[in-house]
PDB file of all heavy atoms in Angstrom:
ATOM      1  N   THR A 150      10.503  -2.338  -1.518  1.00 93.00           N
ATOM      2  CA  THR A 150      11.697  -2.129  -0.701  1.00 93.00           C
ATOM      3  C   THR A 150      11.670  -0.779   0.003  1.00 93.00           C
ATOM      4  O   THR A 150      12.255  -0.631   1.078  1.00 93.00           O
ATOM      5  CB  THR A 150      12.978  -2.245  -1.547  1.00 93.00           C
ATOM      6  OG1 THR A 150      12.902  -1.348  -2.663  1.00 93.00           O
ATOM      7  CG2 THR A 150      13.166  -3.654  -2.053  1.00 93.00           C
ATOM      8  N   SER A 151      10.955   0.194  -0.563  1.00 93.00           N
ATOM      9  CA  SER A 151      10.877   1.508   0.085  1.00 93.00           C
ATOM     10  C   SER A 151      10.102   1.456   1.392  1.00 93.00           C
ATOM     11  O   SER A 151      10.199   2.378   2.215  1.00 93.00           O
ATOM     12  CB  SER A 151      10.225   2.524  -0.862  1.00 93.00           C
ATOM     13  OG  SER A 151       8.835   2.262  -1.031  1.00 93.00           O
ATOM     14  N   THR A 152       9.319   0.377   1.618  1.00 91.00           N
ATOM     15  CA  THR A 152       8.537   0.260   2.855  1.00 91.00           C
ATOM     16  C   THR A 152       9.298  -0.469   3.959  1.00 91.00           C
ATOM     17  O   THR A 152       8.814  -0.549   5.080  1.00 91.00           O
ATOM     18  CB  THR A 152       7.232  -0.520   2.598  1.00 91.00           C
ATOM     19  OG1 THR A 152       7.522  -1.906   2.311  1.00 91.00           O
ATOM     20  CG2 THR A 152       6.462   0.072   1.428  1.00 91.00           C
ATOM     21  N   LEU A 153      10.476  -1.019   3.649  1.00 87.00           N
ATOM     22  CA  LEU A 153      11.172  -1.877   4.601  1.00 87.00           C
ATOM     23  C   LEU A 153      11.719  -1.144   5.811  1.00 87.00           C
ATOM     24  O   LEU A 153      11.667  -1.645   6.929  1.00 87.00           O
ATOM     25  CB  LEU A 153      12.324  -2.610   3.902  1.00 87.00           C
ATOM     26  CG  LEU A 153      12.010  -3.956   3.269  1.00 87.00           C
ATOM     27  CD1 LEU A 153      13.250  -4.505   2.585  1.00 87.00           C
ATOM     28  CD2 LEU A 153      11.491  -4.944   4.288  1.00 87.00           C
ATOM     29  N   GLY A 154      12.287   0.033   5.603  1.00 81.00           N
ATOM     30  CA  GLY A 154      12.907   0.754   6.709  1.00 81.00           C
ATOM     31  C   GLY A 154      14.042  -0.056   7.315  1.00 81.00           C
ATOM     32  O   GLY A 154      14.857  -0.643   6.612  1.00 81.00           O
ATOM     33  N   GLU A 155      14.065  -0.148   8.640  1.00 77.00           N
ATOM     34  CA  GLU A 155      15.146  -0.853   9.330  1.00 77.00           C
ATOM     35  C   GLU A 155      15.094  -2.360   9.105  1.00 77.00           C
ATOM     36  O   GLU A 155      16.076  -3.059   9.361  1.00 77.00           O
ATOM     37  CB  GLU A 155      15.091  -0.554  10.823  1.00 77.00           C
ATOM     38  CG  GLU A 155      13.820  -0.995  11.503  1.00 77.00           C
ATOM     39  CD  GLU A 155      13.777  -0.577  12.966  1.00 77.00           C
ATOM     40  OE1 GLU A 155      14.466   0.393  13.330  1.00 77.00           O
ATOM     41  OE2 GLU A 155      13.037  -1.213  13.728  1.00 77.00           O
ATOM     42  N   ARG A 156      13.986  -2.883   8.581  1.00 77.00           N
ATOM     43  CA  ARG A 156      13.896  -4.316   8.303  1.00 77.00           C
ATOM     44  C   ARG A 156      14.773  -4.711   7.115  1.00 77.00           C
ATOM     45  O   ARG A 156      14.980  -5.904   6.873  1.00 77.00           O
ATOM     46  CB  ARG A 156      12.450  -4.722   7.996  1.00 77.00           C
ATOM     47  CG  ARG A 156      11.482  -4.600   9.136  1.00 77.00           C
ATOM     48  CD  ARG A 156      11.840  -5.491  10.292  1.00 77.00           C
ATOM     49  NE  ARG A 156      12.040  -6.889   9.911  1.00 77.00           N
ATOM     50  CZ  ARG A 156      12.405  -7.843  10.753  1.00 77.00           C
ATOM     51  NH1 ARG A 156      12.628  -7.544  12.018  1.00 77.00           N
ATOM     52  NH2 ARG A 156      12.557  -9.078  10.353  1.00 77.00           N
ATOM     53  N   SER A 157      15.304  -3.756   6.379  1.00 80.00           N
ATOM     54  CA  SER A 157      16.139  -4.090   5.226  1.00 80.00           C
ATOM     55  C   SER A 157      17.395  -4.852   5.639  1.00 80.00           C
ATOM     56  O   SER A 157      17.987  -5.576   4.823  1.00 80.00           O
ATOM     57  CB  SER A 157      16.526  -2.823   4.460  1.00 80.00           C
ATOM     58  OG  SER A 157      17.275  -1.940   5.285  1.00 80.00           O
ATOM     59  N   ASP A 158      17.817  -4.728   6.886  1.00 87.00           N
ATOM     60  CA  ASP A 158      19.009  -5.441   7.356  1.00 87.00           C
ATOM     61  C   ASP A 158      18.776  -6.943   7.478  1.00 87.00           C
ATOM     62  O   ASP A 158      19.735  -7.707   7.561  1.00 87.00           O
ATOM     63  CB  ASP A 158      19.456  -4.892   8.718  1.00 87.00           C
ATOM     64  CG  ASP A 158      19.972  -3.468   8.621  1.00 87.00           C
ATOM     65  OD1 ASP A 158      20.385  -3.065   7.517  1.00 87.00           O
ATOM     66  OD2 ASP A 158      19.960  -2.769   9.646  1.00 87.00           O
ATOM     67  N   SER A 159      17.524  -7.374   7.513  1.00 91.00           N
ATOM     68  CA  SER A 159      17.231  -8.798   7.645  1.00 91.00           C
ATOM     69  C   SER A 159      16.393  -9.295   6.464  1.00 91.00           C
ATOM     70  O   SER A 159      15.587 -10.215   6.616  1.00 91.00           O
ATOM     71  CB  SER A 159      16.496  -9.078   8.958  1.00 91.00           C
ATOM     72  OG  SER A 159      15.306  -8.314   9.036  1.00 91.00           O
ATOM     73  N   ALA A 160      16.596  -8.675   5.293  1.00 95.00           N
ATOM     74  CA  ALA A 160      15.850  -9.051   4.099  1.00 95.00           C
ATOM     75  C   ALA A 160      16.802  -9.551   3.021  1.00 95.00           C
ATOM     76  O   ALA A 160      17.922  -9.056   2.884  1.00 95.00           O
ATOM     77  CB  ALA A 160      15.035  -7.867   3.570  1.00 95.00           C
ATOM     78  N   LEU A 161      16.351 -10.554   2.260  1.00 96.00           N
ATOM     79  CA  LEU A 161      17.108 -11.098   1.147  1.00 96.00           C
ATOM     80  C   LEU A 161      16.225 -11.108  -0.093  1.00 96.00           C
ATOM     81  O   LEU A 161      15.002 -11.256  -0.009  1.00 96.00           O
ATOM     82  CB  LEU A 161      17.576 -12.526   1.443  1.00 96.00           C
ATOM     83  CG  LEU A 161      18.605 -12.708   2.562  1.00 96.00           C
ATOM     84  CD1 LEU A 161      18.851 -14.192   2.805  1.00 96.00           C
ATOM     85  CD2 LEU A 161      19.911 -11.999   2.214  1.00 96.00           C
ATOM     86  N   LEU A 162      16.865 -10.975  -1.253  1.00 97.00           N
ATOM     87  CA  LEU A 162      16.162 -10.921  -2.522  1.00 97.00           C
ATOM     88  C   LEU A 162      16.284 -12.242  -3.271  1.00 97.00           C
ATOM     89  O   LEU A 162      17.366 -12.830  -3.358  1.00 97.00           O
ATOM     90  CB  LEU A 162      16.760  -9.799  -3.385  1.00 97.00           C
ATOM     91  CG  LEU A 162      16.294  -9.714  -4.843  1.00 97.00           C
ATOM     92  CD1 LEU A 162      14.829  -9.303  -4.911  1.00 97.00           C
ATOM     93  CD2 LEU A 162      17.166  -8.730  -5.619  1.00 97.00           C
ATOM     94  N   VAL A 163      15.157 -12.700  -3.814  1.00 97.00           N
ATOM     95  CA  VAL A 163      15.147 -13.779  -4.801  1.00 97.00           C
ATOM     96  C   VAL A 163      14.553 -13.197  -6.073  1.00 97.00           C
ATOM     97  O   VAL A 163      13.405 -12.739  -6.072  1.00 97.00           O
ATOM     98  CB  VAL A 163      14.326 -14.993  -4.336  1.00 97.00           C
ATOM     99  CG1 VAL A 163      14.157 -16.003  -5.474  1.00 97.00           C
ATOM    100  CG2 VAL A 163      14.995 -15.665  -3.139  1.00 97.00           C
ATOM    101  N   THR A 164      15.328 -13.176  -7.145  1.00 96.00           N
ATOM    102  CA  THR A 164      14.791 -12.704  -8.417  1.00 96.00           C
ATOM    103  C   THR A 164      14.031 -13.831  -9.093  1.00 96.00           C
ATOM    104  O   THR A 164      14.272 -15.012  -8.852  1.00 96.00           O
ATOM    105  CB  THR A 164      15.905 -12.186  -9.328  1.00 96.00           C
ATOM    106  OG1 THR A 164      16.909 -13.184  -9.479  1.00 96.00           O
ATOM    107  CG2 THR A 164      16.526 -10.921  -8.758  1.00 96.00           C
ATOM    108  N   ARG A 165      13.103 -13.447  -9.969  1.00 94.00           N
ATOM    109  CA  ARG A 165      12.185 -14.440 -10.559  1.00 94.00           C
ATOM    110  C   ARG A 165      12.041 -14.166 -12.045  1.00 94.00           C
ATOM    111  O   ARG A 165      11.802 -13.027 -12.451  1.00 94.00           O
ATOM    112  CB  ARG A 165      10.823 -14.311  -9.854  1.00 94.00           C
ATOM    113  CG  ARG A 165       9.759 -15.272 -10.373  1.00 94.00           C
ATOM    114  CD  ARG A 165      10.009 -16.668  -9.853  1.00 94.00           C
ATOM    115  NE  ARG A 165       8.870 -17.527 -10.158  1.00 94.00           N
ATOM    116  CZ  ARG A 165       8.698 -18.180 -11.301  1.00 94.00           C
ATOM    117  NH1 ARG A 165       9.596 -18.048 -12.269  1.00 94.00           N
ATOM    118  NH2 ARG A 165       7.639 -18.932 -11.492  1.00 94.00           N
ATOM    119  N   GLY A 166      12.206 -15.215 -12.848  1.00 90.00           N
ATOM    120  CA  GLY A 166      12.057 -15.057 -14.286  1.00 90.00           C
ATOM    121  C   GLY A 166      12.706 -16.186 -15.040  1.00 90.00           C
ATOM    122  O   GLY A 166      13.058 -17.220 -14.451  1.00 90.00           O
ATOM    123  N   PRO A 167      12.884 -16.048 -16.339  1.00 87.00           N
ATOM    124  CA  PRO A 167      13.483 -17.107 -17.144  1.00 87.00           C
ATOM    125  C   PRO A 167      14.914 -17.403 -16.717  1.00 87.00           C
ATOM    126  O   PRO A 167      15.599 -16.557 -16.133  1.00 87.00           O
ATOM    127  CB  PRO A 167      13.459 -16.525 -18.567  1.00 87.00           C
ATOM    128  CG  PRO A 167      12.456 -15.426 -18.523  1.00 87.00           C
ATOM    129  CD  PRO A 167      12.488 -14.880 -17.136  1.00 87.00           C
ATOM    130  N   ARG A 168      15.372 -18.606 -17.017  1.00 83.00           N
ATOM    131  CA  ARG A 168      16.727 -18.994 -16.658  1.00 83.00           C
ATOM    132  C   ARG A 168      17.757 -18.057 -17.288  1.00 83.00           C
ATOM    133  O   ARG A 168      18.767 -17.725 -16.687  1.00 83.00           O
ATOM    134  CB  ARG A 168      16.989 -20.431 -17.103  1.00 83.00           C
ATOM    135  CG  ARG A 168      18.274 -21.034 -16.562  1.00 83.00           C
ATOM    136  CD  ARG A 168      18.422 -22.472 -17.011  1.00 83.00           C
ATOM    137  NE  ARG A 168      17.284 -23.286 -16.620  1.00 83.00           N
ATOM    138  CZ  ARG A 168      17.175 -23.868 -15.430  1.00 83.00           C
ATOM    139  NH1 ARG A 168      18.117 -23.719 -14.518  1.00 83.00           N
ATOM    140  NH2 ARG A 168      16.106 -24.601 -15.148  1.00 83.00           N
ATOM    141  N   ARG A 169      17.494 -17.620 -18.498  1.00 79.00           N
ATOM    142  CA  ARG A 169      18.454 -16.768 -19.189  1.00 79.00           C
ATOM    143  C   ARG A 169      18.590 -15.381 -18.547  1.00 79.00           C
ATOM    144  O   ARG A 169      19.499 -14.626 -18.877  1.00 79.00           O
ATOM    145  CB  ARG A 169      18.066 -16.610 -20.653  1.00 79.00           C
ATOM    146  CG  ARG A 169      16.745 -15.876 -20.880  1.00 79.00           C
ATOM    147  CD  ARG A 169      16.416 -15.738 -22.353  1.00 79.00           C
ATOM    148  NE  ARG A 169      15.186 -15.005 -22.575  1.00 79.00           N
ATOM    149  CZ  ARG A 169      13.973 -15.544 -22.572  1.00 79.00           C
ATOM    150  NH1 ARG A 169      13.848 -16.844 -22.350  1.00 79.00           N
ATOM    151  NH2 ARG A 169      12.896 -14.820 -22.774  1.00 79.00           N
ATOM    152  N   ALA A 170      17.659 -15.044 -17.638  1.00 74.00           N
ATOM    153  CA  ALA A 170      17.705 -13.735 -16.986  1.00 74.00           C
ATOM    154  C   ALA A 170      18.672 -13.700 -15.814  1.00 74.00           C
ATOM    155  O   ALA A 170      18.862 -12.645 -15.198  1.00 74.00           O
ATOM    156  CB  ALA A 170      16.305 -13.351 -16.499  1.00 74.00           C
ATOM    157  N   GLU A 171      19.312 -14.823 -15.502  1.00 68.00           N
ATOM    158  CA  GLU A 171      20.204 -14.876 -14.345  1.00 68.00           C
ATOM    159  C   GLU A 171      21.320 -13.834 -14.417  1.00 68.00           C
ATOM    160  O   GLU A 171      21.797 -13.360 -13.396  1.00 68.00           O
ATOM    161  CB  GLU A 171      20.797 -16.277 -14.212  1.00 68.00           C
ATOM    162  CG  GLU A 171      19.774 -17.325 -13.799  1.00 68.00           C
ATOM    163  CD  GLU A 171      20.387 -18.722 -13.725  1.00 68.00           C
ATOM    164  OE1 GLU A 171      21.496 -18.904 -14.279  1.00 68.00           O
ATOM    165  OE2 GLU A 171      19.776 -19.608 -13.124  1.00 68.00           O
ATOM    166  N   GLN A 172      21.739 -13.477 -15.628  1.00 74.00           N
ATOM    167  CA  GLN A 172      22.858 -12.556 -15.775  1.00 74.00           C
ATOM    168  C   GLN A 172      22.542 -11.146 -15.276  1.00 74.00           C
ATOM    169  O   GLN A 172      23.452 -10.367 -15.022  1.00 74.00           O
ATOM    170  CB  GLN A 172      23.288 -12.498 -17.242  1.00 74.00           C
ATOM    171  CG  GLN A 172      22.170 -12.079 -18.193  1.00 74.00           C
ATOM    172  CD  GLN A 172      22.564 -12.207 -19.652  1.00 74.00           C
ATOM    173  OE1 GLN A 172      23.739 -12.171 -19.967  1.00 74.00           O
ATOM    174  NE2 GLN A 172      21.588 -12.360 -20.537  1.00 74.00           N
ATOM    175  N   VAL A 173      21.266 -10.799 -15.150  1.00 90.00           N
ATOM    176  CA  VAL A 173      20.914  -9.450 -14.698  1.00 90.00           C
ATOM    177  C   VAL A 173      20.540  -9.416 -13.216  1.00 90.00           C
ATOM    178  O   VAL A 173      20.187  -8.351 -12.699  1.00 90.00           O
ATOM    179  CB  VAL A 173      19.760  -8.860 -15.541  1.00 90.00           C
ATOM    180  CG1 VAL A 173      20.143  -8.815 -17.005  1.00 90.00           C
ATOM    181  CG2 VAL A 173      18.466  -9.651 -15.348  1.00 90.00           C
ATOM    182  N   CYS A 174      20.624 -10.550 -12.533  1.00 93.00           N
ATOM    183  CA  CYS A 174      20.177 -10.612 -11.135  1.00 93.00           C
ATOM    184  C   CYS A 174      20.980  -9.686 -10.234  1.00 93.00           C
ATOM    185  O   CYS A 174      20.421  -8.974  -9.390  1.00 93.00           O
ATOM    186  CB  CYS A 174      20.277 -12.036 -10.605  1.00 93.00           C
ATOM    187  SG  CYS A 174      19.215 -13.198 -11.453  1.00 93.00           S
ATOM    188  N   GLU A 175      22.297  -9.720 -10.373  1.00 91.00           N
ATOM    189  CA  GLU A 175      23.144  -8.883  -9.517  1.00 91.00           C
ATOM    190  C   GLU A 175      22.841  -7.407  -9.725  1.00 91.00           C
ATOM    191  O   GLU A 175      22.821  -6.626  -8.767  1.00 91.00           O
ATOM    192  CB  GLU A 175      24.613  -9.169  -9.795  1.00 91.00           C
ATOM    193  CG  GLU A 175      25.080 -10.559  -9.373  1.00 91.00           C
ATOM    194  CD  GLU A 175      25.186 -10.695  -7.850  1.00 91.00           C
ATOM    195  OE1 GLU A 175      25.012  -9.681  -7.142  1.00 91.00           O
ATOM    196  OE2 GLU A 175      25.430 -11.821  -7.385  1.00 91.00           O
ATOM    197  N   ARG A 176      22.594  -7.029 -10.968  1.00 93.00           N
ATOM    198  CA  ARG A 176      22.264  -5.624 -11.227  1.00 93.00           C
ATOM    199  C   ARG A 176      20.931  -5.247 -10.593  1.00 93.00           C
ATOM    200  O   ARG A 176      20.765  -4.142 -10.060  1.00 93.00           O
ATOM    201  CB  ARG A 176      22.223  -5.365 -12.731  1.00 93.00           C
ATOM    202  CG  ARG A 176      23.602  -5.169 -13.355  1.00 93.00           C
ATOM    203  CD  ARG A 176      23.501  -4.812 -14.812  1.00 93.00           C
ATOM    204  NE  ARG A 176      23.155  -5.984 -15.616  1.00 93.00           N
ATOM    205  CZ  ARG A 176      22.728  -5.911 -16.872  1.00 93.00           C
ATOM    206  NH1 ARG A 176      22.558  -4.746 -17.452  1.00 93.00           N
ATOM    207  NH2 ARG A 176      22.463  -7.023 -17.533  1.00 93.00           N
ATOM    208  N   ALA A 177      19.964  -6.182 -10.638  1.00 94.00           N
ATOM    209  CA  ALA A 177      18.678  -5.913 -10.000  1.00 94.00           C
ATOM    210  C   ALA A 177      18.837  -5.771  -8.492  1.00 94.00           C
ATOM    211  O   ALA A 177      18.242  -4.881  -7.870  1.00 94.00           O
ATOM    212  CB  ALA A 177      17.697  -7.033 -10.325  1.00 94.00           C
ATOM    213  N   ALA A 178      19.659  -6.649  -7.895  1.00 94.00           N
ATOM    214  CA  ALA A 178      19.878  -6.577  -6.451  1.00 94.00           C
ATOM    215  C   ALA A 178      20.535  -5.262  -6.066  1.00 94.00           C
ATOM    216  O   ALA A 178      20.162  -4.621  -5.069  1.00 94.00           O
ATOM    217  CB  ALA A 178      20.742  -7.759  -6.010  1.00 94.00           C
ATOM    218  N   GLU A 179      21.511  -4.841  -6.852  1.00 94.00           N
ATOM    219  CA  GLU A 179      22.181  -3.565  -6.566  1.00 94.00           C
ATOM    220  C   GLU A 179      21.202  -2.411  -6.692  1.00 94.00           C
ATOM    221  O   GLU A 179      21.190  -1.485  -5.872  1.00 94.00           O
ATOM    222  CB  GLU A 179      23.343  -3.379  -7.533  1.00 94.00           C
ATOM    223  CG  GLU A 179      24.147  -2.108  -7.285  1.00 94.00           C
ATOM    224  CD  GLU A 179      25.327  -1.972  -8.228  1.00 94.00           C
ATOM    225  OE1 GLU A 179      25.579  -2.902  -9.025  1.00 94.00           O
ATOM    226  OE2 GLU A 179      25.999  -0.921  -8.172  1.00 94.00           O
ATOM    227  N   HIS A 180      20.348  -2.471  -7.712  1.00 93.00           N
ATOM    228  CA  HIS A 180      19.357  -1.415  -7.915  1.00 93.00           C
ATOM    229  C   HIS A 180      18.372  -1.338  -6.754  1.00 93.00           C
ATOM    230  O   HIS A 180      17.992  -0.247  -6.308  1.00 93.00           O
ATOM    231  CB  HIS A 180      18.610  -1.663  -9.224  1.00 93.00           C
ATOM    232  CG  HIS A 180      17.505  -0.701  -9.489  1.00 93.00           C
ATOM    233  ND1 HIS A 180      17.716   0.625  -9.800  1.00 93.00           N
ATOM    234  CD2 HIS A 180      16.145  -0.868  -9.468  1.00 93.00           C
ATOM    235  CE1 HIS A 180      16.551   1.249  -9.965  1.00 93.00           C
ATOM    236  NE2 HIS A 180      15.579   0.362  -9.770  1.00 93.00           N
ATOM    237  N   LEU A 181      17.957  -2.511  -6.240  1.00 94.00           N
ATOM    238  CA  LEU A 181      16.962  -2.550  -5.165  1.00 94.00           C
ATOM    239  C   LEU A 181      17.590  -2.390  -3.784  1.00 94.00           C
ATOM    240  O   LEU A 181      16.881  -2.176  -2.804  1.00 94.00           O
ATOM    241  CB  LEU A 181      16.188  -3.866  -5.225  1.00 94.00           C
ATOM    242  CG  LEU A 181      15.316  -4.060  -6.467  1.00 94.00           C
ATOM    243  CD1 LEU A 181      14.766  -5.478  -6.517  1.00 94.00           C
ATOM    244  CD2 LEU A 181      14.172  -3.053  -6.500  1.00 94.00           C
ATOM    245  N   GLY A 182      18.913  -2.532  -3.694  1.00 94.00           N
ATOM    246  CA  GLY A 182      19.589  -2.357  -2.415  1.00 94.00           C
ATOM    247  C   GLY A 182      19.403  -3.508  -1.452  1.00 94.00           C
ATOM    248  O   GLY A 182      19.438  -3.321  -0.228  1.00 94.00           O
ATOM    249  N   LEU A 183      19.227  -4.731  -1.993  1.00 95.00           N
ATOM    250  CA  LEU A 183      19.055  -5.912  -1.150  1.00 95.00           C
ATOM    251  C   LEU A 183      20.077  -6.969  -1.545  1.00 95.00           C
ATOM    252  O   LEU A 183      20.382  -7.127  -2.729  1.00 95.00           O
ATOM    253  CB  LEU A 183      17.646  -6.503  -1.311  1.00 95.00           C
ATOM    254  CG  LEU A 183      16.473  -5.684  -0.761  1.00 95.00           C
ATOM    255  CD1 LEU A 183      15.171  -6.398  -1.086  1.00 95.00           C
ATOM    256  CD2 LEU A 183      16.609  -5.477   0.737  1.00 95.00           C
ATOM    257  N   PRO A 184      20.580  -7.735  -0.582  1.00 95.00           N
ATOM    258  CA  PRO A 184      21.479  -8.843  -0.923  1.00 95.00           C
ATOM    259  C   PRO A 184      20.735  -9.900  -1.731  1.00 95.00           C
ATOM    260  O   PRO A 184      19.590 -10.240  -1.418  1.00 95.00           O
ATOM    261  CB  PRO A 184      21.913  -9.399   0.436  1.00 95.00           C
ATOM    262  CG  PRO A 184      21.577  -8.325   1.427  1.00 95.00           C
ATOM    263  CD  PRO A 184      20.402  -7.592   0.880  1.00 95.00           C
ATOM    264  N   LEU A 185      21.384 -10.420  -2.758  1.00 96.00           N
ATOM    265  CA  LEU A 185      20.773 -11.440  -3.604  1.00 96.00           C
ATOM    266  C   LEU A 185      20.996 -12.817  -3.002  1.00 96.00           C
ATOM    267  O   LEU A 185      22.140 -13.239  -2.800  1.00 96.00           O
ATOM    268  CB  LEU A 185      21.380 -11.383  -5.007  1.00 96.00           C
ATOM    269  CG  LEU A 185      20.866 -12.432  -6.003  1.00 96.00           C
ATOM    270  CD1 LEU A 185      19.385 -12.210  -6.299  1.00 96.00           C
ATOM    271  CD2 LEU A 185      21.689 -12.393  -7.288  1.00 96.00           C
ATOM    272  N   LEU A 186      19.905 -13.525  -2.730  1.00 96.00           N
ATOM    273  CA  LEU A 186      20.006 -14.907  -2.259  1.00 96.00           C
ATOM    274  C   LEU A 186      20.176 -15.871  -3.427  1.00 96.00           C
ATOM    275  O   LEU A 186      21.071 -16.706  -3.438  1.00 96.00           O
ATOM    276  CB  LEU A 186      18.762 -15.287  -1.453  1.00 96.00           C
ATOM    277  CG  LEU A 186      18.683 -16.753  -1.009  1.00 96.00           C
ATOM    278  CD1 LEU A 186      19.786 -17.068   0.002  1.00 96.00           C
ATOM    279  CD2 LEU A 186      17.312 -17.083  -0.440  1.00 96.00           C
ATOM    280  N   ASP A 187      19.309 -15.744  -4.447  1.00 95.00           N
ATOM    281  CA  ASP A 187      19.351 -16.673  -5.577  1.00 95.00           C
ATOM    282  C   ASP A 187      18.370 -16.186  -6.636  1.00 95.00           C
ATOM    283  O   ASP A 187      17.605 -15.240  -6.410  1.00 95.00           O
ATOM    284  CB  ASP A 187      18.968 -18.090  -5.114  1.00 95.00           C
ATOM    285  CG  ASP A 187      19.675 -19.179  -5.896  1.00 95.00           C
ATOM    286  OD1 ASP A 187      20.015 -18.930  -7.070  1.00 95.00           O
ATOM    287  OD2 ASP A 187      19.893 -20.269  -5.340  1.00 95.00           O
ATOM    288  N   HIS A 188      18.396 -16.854  -7.785  1.00 95.00           N
ATOM    289  CA  HIS A 188      17.437 -16.592  -8.861  1.00 95.00           C
ATOM    290  C   HIS A 188      16.537 -17.803  -9.013  1.00 95.00           C
ATOM    291  O   HIS A 188      17.026 -18.940  -9.121  1.00 95.00           O
ATOM    292  CB  HIS A 188      18.165 -16.320 -10.181  1.00 95.00           C
ATOM    293  CG  HIS A 188      17.227 -16.138 -11.346  1.00 95.00           C
ATOM    294  ND1 HIS A 188      16.424 -15.023 -11.476  1.00 95.00           N
ATOM    295  CD2 HIS A 188      16.947 -16.936 -12.420  1.00 95.00           C
ATOM    296  CE1 HIS A 188      15.704 -15.132 -12.579  1.00 95.00           C
ATOM    297  NE2 HIS A 188      16.005 -16.284 -13.175  1.00 95.00           N
ATOM    298  N   LEU A 189      15.228 -17.581  -9.016  1.00 95.00           N
ATOM    299  CA  LEU A 189      14.255 -18.656  -9.187  1.00 95.00           C
ATOM    300  C   LEU A 189      13.794 -18.661 -10.638  1.00 95.00           C
ATOM    301  O   LEU A 189      13.017 -17.799 -11.066  1.00 95.00           O
ATOM    302  CB  LEU A 189      13.065 -18.462  -8.238  1.00 95.00           C
ATOM    303  CG  LEU A 189      11.946 -19.504  -8.328  1.00 95.00           C
ATOM    304  CD1 LEU A 189      12.490 -20.916  -8.156  1.00 95.00           C
ATOM    305  CD2 LEU A 189      10.876 -19.209  -7.287  1.00 95.00           C
ATOM    306  N   ALA A 190      14.284 -19.625 -11.387  1.00 92.00           N
ATOM    307  CA  ALA A 190      13.934 -19.729 -12.800  1.00 92.00           C
ATOM    308  C   ALA A 190      12.575 -20.391 -12.978  1.00 92.00           C
ATOM    309  O   ALA A 190      12.124 -21.175 -12.130  1.00 92.00           O
ATOM    310  CB  ALA A 190      15.009 -20.527 -13.544  1.00 92.00           C
ATOM    311  N   ASP A 191      11.924 -20.085 -14.073  1.00 87.00           N
ATOM    312  CA  ASP A 191      10.646 -20.712 -14.401  1.00 87.00           C
ATOM    313  C   ASP A 191      10.822 -22.228 -14.470  1.00 87.00           C
ATOM    314  O   ASP A 191      11.842 -22.731 -14.946  1.00 87.00           O
ATOM    315  CB  ASP A 191      10.135 -20.194 -15.749  1.00 87.00           C
ATOM    316  CG  ASP A 191       9.873 -18.690 -15.729  1.00 87.00           C
ATOM    317  OD1 ASP A 191       9.640 -18.148 -14.635  1.00 87.00           O
ATOM    318  OD2 ASP A 191       9.903 -18.075 -16.810  1.00 87.00           O
ATOM    319  N   ASP A 192       9.813 -22.960 -14.001  1.00 84.00           N
ATOM    320  CA  ASP A 192       9.921 -24.419 -13.933  1.00 84.00           C
ATOM    321  C   ASP A 192       8.566 -25.031 -14.244  1.00 84.00           C
ATOM    322  O   ASP A 192       7.619 -24.902 -13.470  1.00 84.00           O
ATOM    323  CB  ASP A 192      10.389 -24.832 -12.534  1.00 84.00           C
ATOM    324  CG  ASP A 192      10.568 -26.335 -12.389  1.00 84.00           C
ATOM    325  OD1 ASP A 192      10.415 -27.059 -13.390  1.00 84.00           O
ATOM    326  OD2 ASP A 192      10.858 -26.781 -11.265  1.00 84.00           O
ATOM    327  N   ALA A 193       8.483 -25.709 -15.391  1.00 83.00           N
ATOM    328  CA  ALA A 193       7.216 -26.333 -15.789  1.00 83.00           C
ATOM    329  C   ALA A 193       6.803 -27.436 -14.829  1.00 83.00           C
ATOM    330  O   ALA A 193       5.620 -27.777 -14.738  1.00 83.00           O
ATOM    331  CB  ALA A 193       7.342 -26.889 -17.204  1.00 83.00           C
TER     332      ALA A 193
END
Side-chain angles (χ1 to χ4, degrees):
T150 54
S151 71
T152 69
L153 270 178
E155 61 184 24
R156 294 298 308 178
S157 61
D158 292 337
S159 57
L161 293 175
L162 171 68
V163 171
T164 54
R165 179 76 170 86
R168 191 178 303 275
R169 65 180 182 274
E171 291 178 344
Q172 58 188 336
V173 302
C174 297
E175 292 288 354
R176 280 184 285 165
E179 182 178 356
H180 176 70
L181 294 172
L183 291 177
L185 178 65
L186 175 66
D187 212 332
H188 176 70
L189 179 54
D191 298 336
D192 182 5

